[in-house]
Amino acid sequence: MDHSGNHIDQNTLDKLGITAAKTVNWNWANPVLYEEAVRRGEGEVAQGGPLVVKTGQHTGRSAKDKFIVRDSETEETVWWDQNAAMTPAQFDLLWADFKAHMEDRELFVQQLHGGADLDHRLPVNIITEFAWHSLFIRHLLRIPTSEQLDGFDGEFTIISLPSFRADPARHGSNSQTIIAVNMRERLVLIGGTSYAGEIKKSVFSILNYLLPKKRVMPMHCSVNAHGTEDAAIFFGLSGTGKTTLSADPHRTLIGDDEHGWSENGLFNFEGGCYAKMIRLSADAEPEIHATTKMWGTVLENVVMDPASRELDLDDASLAENSRGAYPLTSIPNASTTGRCGQPKNVIMLTADAFGVLPPIARMTPSQAMYHFLSGYTAKVAGTEKGVTEPQATFSTCFGAPFMPRHPSEYGNLLRDLIAEHKVTCWLVNTGWTGGPYGTGNRMPIKATRALLAAALDGSLNAAQFRLDDNFGLEVPVSVPGVENSILDPRSTWADKAAYDAQAAKLVTMFTQNFTKFAAHVDPKVLAAGPIA
């Protein structure tokens, strides 16, 4: 094999049995990868210099195509109710076919860190067949210094081959697409998809498996801080405002998606951001919008005029899930270290399309664990085929697809850390007010920002609170700069009886969803749910 680049480590590939690739490009820098991606026709350059790529059939994660090898390492540690299993024999066949597929191909290798905490970071080798995938993951993970690359020993290896096609009969897959995770062999194989998010989320899944054993909490969340202290954690599923609300010009952004909580404080798993681009507003999200005009940003499935090279962020013809990947240095007030102190506030974001939940509410530690395990948000009509009215979505721990262990492990660890560090917890509804989707209006982002500012500066704790009739949460009666009426969801509905009926329906949804956790939580957490 021919090798080029920096800190070439042929022994790493030899140990994996990768010996017949045509060329291996090691740790190429961003400009070289950018040029190569354009030269190979993998992407096009838009005005301002972002690289625009299309991912074809797969414009999001292939959740039904992800498997974990079930063996003595994972039999008792993985939550098999949520994670699909693959036999060691099936993985061995897949791995043999992956190695054969790499013969005579050009490969790109990046040696990167998952995690900014120097005590808990994961060294990982990322092998791709696309130059733009290599650029993408350099944006998303943490790039070692030249000194750190000397003797770099990757604990895990992730290999992405979009041109590979899995065989369901041979590999046990559900389709020609495959994401196979082998915890014992420290190996992840991704085939049949060009969606780069699979690489990023594989690192997240690995850390979610490894860190709880060290009493480090892995979290699908964003984090910001006032300097390096006064930190806040933002949990939330896609579309709830996790990235938007954490990008606050008055606070330092630690990261927008994946973090750990250790004895040292909070730390970003990543070195960049992976933000939704569809209908991105320059007024509401100026820092993120600015990255769409920056050199080197990778834009997935964003529509571009072929002549003028102008972007149309409102055009969803390629994907509703259009994305942009860029380094944290693209955000003006982002942390360079990816680390901060212990948090003072935990915010759980939900986009309640039923218009029932208040815009902000304070939670006890037990209520926080209840809502963390529930992971509630709601889909709105038109987002998926067949969705004609709001539908409740419960994604455990605000990231069930990436949580290999049982949710109670993460929930108990979170509750312990909240109590240990005396953290204040808030539930924030960024969804609808004045009625459900189609009748009411989206919660004004100005009001949400004002409520969050009061929560984060501590002034909201001095407010007068009432108990919510449906969920037993503490809801402020008045907050400076926010209309009092919006704080009481029922008062914003013209039809009060319709609100009561919708609230009762949502309470039932929560209660039914939580039955699967009843045997795994203590009575205080069970009692922290909605008021029947």
Side-chain angles (χ1 to χ4, degrees):
M1 296 188 293
D2 293 329
H3 295 266
S4 73
N6 303 312
H7 297 271
I8 295 169
D9 181 13
Q10 186 171 345
N11 185 52
T12 292
L13 300 187
D14 290 343
K15 287 189 293 185
L16 289 167
I18 301 172
T19 59
K22 179 181 180 181
T23 306
V24 183
N25 305 311
W26 292 83
N27 299 305
W28 276 12
N30 293 8
V32 187
L33 291 167
Y34 181 99
E35 289 176 350
E36 184 67 9
V38 174
R39 187 189 69 79
R40 291 164 55 133
E42 295 176 0
E44 297 178 300
V45 180
Q47 279 205 12
L51 181 69
V52 180
V53 298
K54 297 176 182 178
T55 64
Q57 176 187 355
H58 297 283
T59 59
R61 291 183 305 101
S62 300
K64 294 182 179 179
D65 295 309
K66 180 181 176 182
F67 300 85
I68 298 177
V69 176
R70 191 167 188 165
D71 55 19
S72 58
E73 161 75 23
T74 57
E75 180 64 42
E76 301 299 327
T77 53
V78 168
W79 182 32
W80 294 112
D81 289 349
Q82 175 66 33
N83 294 280
M86 170 179 278
T87 68
Q90 289 169 330
F91 185 88
D92 289 345
L93 287 172
L94 180 66
W95 180 215
D97 292 344
F98 255 63
K99 286 186 283 190
H101 192 78
M102 286 185 278
E103 292 182 6
D104 295 323
R105 291 181 182 273
E106 184 173 13
L107 302 175
F108 299 86
V109 181
Q110 292 291 333
Q111 295 172 300
L112 304 166
H113 284 128
D117 189 311
L118 303 184
D119 295 325
H120 301 295
R121 65 189 180 189
L122 176 74
V124 59
N125 304 311
I126 310 290
I127 303 174
T128 66
E129 66 173 316
F130 288 170
W132 81 261
H133 276 182
S134 198
L135 175 61
F136 168 93
I137 205 62
R138 276 180 67 88
H139 287 342
L140 268 297
L141 294 187
R142 304 195 68 84
I143 301 173
T145 64
S146 181
E147 292 75 18
Q148 291 168 344
L149 276 173
D150 286 332
F152 187 96
D153 185 14
E155 185 176 342
F156 262 81
T157 297
I158 299 173
I159 303 175
S160 176
L161 303 177
S163 63
F164 180 86
R165 297 292 179 266
D167 180 348
R170 179 174 170 81
H171 305 127
S173 60
N174 290 325
S175 70
Q176 292 185 325
T177 301
I178 189 77
I179 302 97
V181 182
N182 191 320
M183 295 296 184
R184 176 181 293 280
E185 299 298 327
R186 299 299 202 242
L187 190 58
V188 180
L189 307 178
I190 303 170
T193 173
S194 297
Y195 178 66
E198 296 288 9
I199 306 172
K200 161 192 151 72
K201 289 301 184 185
S202 293
V203 177
F204 187 36
S205 296
I206 293 165
L207 288 166
N208 284 341
Y209 181 77
L210 298 176
L211 291 180
K213 292 188 291 186
K214 304 165 71 175
R215 203 175 178 272
V216 177
M217 177 70 189
M219 301 175 292
H220 184 210
C221 70
S222 57
V223 171
N224 66 22
H226 184 67
T228 58
E229 302 301 326
D230 188 18
I233 297 170
F234 296 77
F235 288 107
L237 299 172
S238 179
T240 58
K242 180 164 52 72
T243 298
T244 300
L245 293 171
S246 59
D248 184 334
H250 304 294
R251 294 172 65 84
T252 301
L253 178 68
I254 308 301
D256 82 321
D257 199 36
E258 298 165 2
H259 293 80
W261 186 353
S262 77
E263 70 280 7
N264 303 320
L266 303 177
F267 63 98
N268 195 351
F269 286 172
E270 302 179 313
C273 301
Y274 192 38
K276 292 193 78 167
M277 292 288 119
I278 192 68
R279 291 177 287 276
L280 189 68
S281 166
D283 293 329
E285 300 162 290
E287 295 87 0
I288 301 171
H289 191 276
T291 68
T292 67
K293 301 181 184 299
M294 291 183 183
W295 179 93
T297 294
V298 176
L299 298 174
E300 285 184 322
N301 303 310
V302 172
V303 174
M304 177 182 72
D305 184 284
S308 69
R309 300 301 175 100
E310 288 279 359
L311 302 174
D312 185 351
L313 300 179
D314 295 327
D315 189 334
S317 58
L318 290 177
E320 182 71 26
N321 187 42
S322 58
R323 293 272 178 169
Y326 48 88
L328 273 168
T329 52
S330 298
I331 301 296
N333 61 328
S335 167
T336 57
T337 67
R339 301 187 295 272
C340 63
Q342 300 293 346
K344 288 188 178 180
N345 291 277
V346 165
I347 294 101
M348 296 184 187
L349 300 168
T350 180
D352 177 26
F354 297 103
V356 170
L357 291 173
I360 196 166
R362 190 167 61 187
M363 299 183 286
T364 67
S366 291
Q367 287 173 329
M369 182 174 176
Y370 183 95
H371 284 274
F372 178 71
L373 290 176
S374 297
Y376 166 71
T377 193
K379 298 175 184 177
V380 299
T383 56
E384 291 185 12
K385 185 178 180 180
V387 178
T388 57
E389 61 181 31
Q391 290 186 0
T393 298
F394 294 95
S395 184
T396 301
C397 306
F398 295 98
F402 322 115
M403 302 292 175
R405 296 177 178 273
H406 193 277
S408 61
E409 287 194 51
Y410 305 106
N412 285 325
L413 182 52
L414 179 67
R415 186 181 58 174
D416 290 348
L417 289 169
I418 287 171
E420 179 181 338
H421 297 286
K422 298 180 175 57
V423 180
T424 305
C425 301
W426 306 91
L427 184 69
V428 173
N429 175 23
T430 61
W432 272 257
T433 182
Y437 172 83
T439 301
N441 300 302
R442 191 74 191 253
M443 196 73 68
I445 191 167
K446 183 178 179 181
T448 300
R449 288 194 184 279
L451 292 169
L452 278 175
L456 297 182
D457 69 19
S459 62
L460 191 54
N461 283 314
Q464 178 185 351
F465 288 84
R466 66 174 178 84
L467 286 183
D468 179 76
D469 292 334
N470 301 298
F471 288 85
L473 305 168
E474 291 184 315
V475 181
V477 175
S478 65
V479 178
V482 179
E483 292 184 18
N484 289 347
S485 60
I486 206 171
L487 297 170
D488 180 6
R490 190 175 188 270
S491 71
T492 65
W493 283 52
D495 187 340
K496 303 299 189 286
Y499 171 86
D500 293 338
Q502 188 62 76
K505 182 179 178 181
L506 185 60
V507 164
T508 300
M509 292 176 186
F510 265 86
T511 303
Q512 290 177 346
N513 173 73
F514 207 79
T515 55
K516 59 180 174 285
F517 304 123
H520 302 280
V521 300
D522 64 36
K524 287 185 179 180
V525 176
L526 276 178
I531 301 169

